[in-house]
Amino acid sequence: MAGVLHIVPTPVGNLEDMTLRAVRVLQEADLILAEDTRTSSVLLRRYDIHAKMLSHHKFNEHRTVSLIKERILEGENVALISDAGTPGISDPGFLLARECAAEGIEVRTLPGATACIPALVSSGLPCDRFCFEGFLPQKKGRSGALEALKDEPRTMVFYESPFRLTKTLEQMAEAFGPDRRCSVAREISKIHEERVRGALEEAAAMFRDKEPKGEFVIVVEGCREPERPAHQNKYRTED
């Protein structure tokens, strides 16, 4: 009988964000696939988890996916974790989940930690409808990606590193307009968690003066629908 692939979220900051179910699944797993075994070993020691670990990251996942799939088919229960957050969300995980699903292997994803939802909900921007864009292209295609989103009406969520944050905010201000509202969250669920809210140009100016440190989530207001003149409103009533 085939085993199961468990996709297990891990804390993005505070280790207490680990769920009881996630701890149990990792303790019972035959094998844990970790993006970085050194990083994950800190979490596993904290929760007395001793399952065997194997590296599974973006540089080797194409080579290891077939081997892992065969082990699951032979009956092993495998748990996939990333350094932080939910695997597959701007982290390795999609390829293995796709291949296992195509093979008829059961893929169970536990609910849990991710940086984008806390950043969105606490941004003060509409969160009933939103789109997750993850990391923008590092070089080629960056401006085109932003240009394609300038008329997006939903709130947009992006991930960014401290090394490109200021440039990204400046490019967003150019593409979306300097007055478009945003919230820039830093170090979600960590000791130095903080947020900067305001216009894109204001946020860019702040980080030009203050060197960005940590991992960032940028939440940007969607494009507001322009008000149409009264004569264009077919439902307007005449006095």
Side-chain angles (χ1 to χ4, degrees), residues 152-206:
E152 170 58 60
R154 296 169 296 178
T155 301
M156 297 169 281
V157 184
F158 304 84
Y159 286 163
E160 194 51 278
S161 76
F163 310 107
R164 292 184 295 272
L165 177 71
T166 304
K167 180 180 179 181
T168 296
L169 290 170
E170 291 172 344
Q171 291 176 319
M172 286 178 171
E174 183 177 350
F176 303 151
D179 297 327
R180 185 81 70 92
R181 293 185 299 162
C182 72
S183 172
V184 183
R186 182 176 82 92
E187 298 288 82
I188 293 288
S189 189
K190 298 180 182 178
I191 295 175
H192 301 294
E193 178 177 351
E194 64 178 355
R195 289 169 182 77
V196 171
R197 299 182 181 91
L200 281 167
E201 182 52 48
E202 294 172 343
M206 174 173 290

Side-chain angles (χ1 to χ4, degrees), residues 40-110:
S40 296
S41 64
V42 176
L43 175 70
L44 300 190
R45 284 197 300 268
R46 169 74 176 266
Y47 288 102
D48 196 29
I49 298 167
H50 304 286
K52 181 179 178 181
M53 276 197 294
L54 181 69
S55 293
H56 183 79
H57 46 71
K58 65 180 181 180
F59 300 109
N60 75 351
E61 60 179 343
H62 285 85
R63 297 195 307 272
T64 60
V65 66
S66 295
L67 172 63
I68 296 165
K69 186 172 62 175
E70 288 304 314
R71 293 181 67 161
I72 299 174
L73 287 171
E74 291 172 1
E76 291 192 23
N77 290 315
V78 174
L80 172 66
I81 61 176
S82 64
D83 289 348
T86 300
I89 305 298
S90 295
D91 276 322
F94 162 72
L95 178 62
L96 180 59
R98 182 187 68 183
E99 293 299 310
C100 286
E103 194 69 39
I105 294 170
E106 184 175 1
V107 179
R108 297 177 186 170
T109 301
L110 279 63

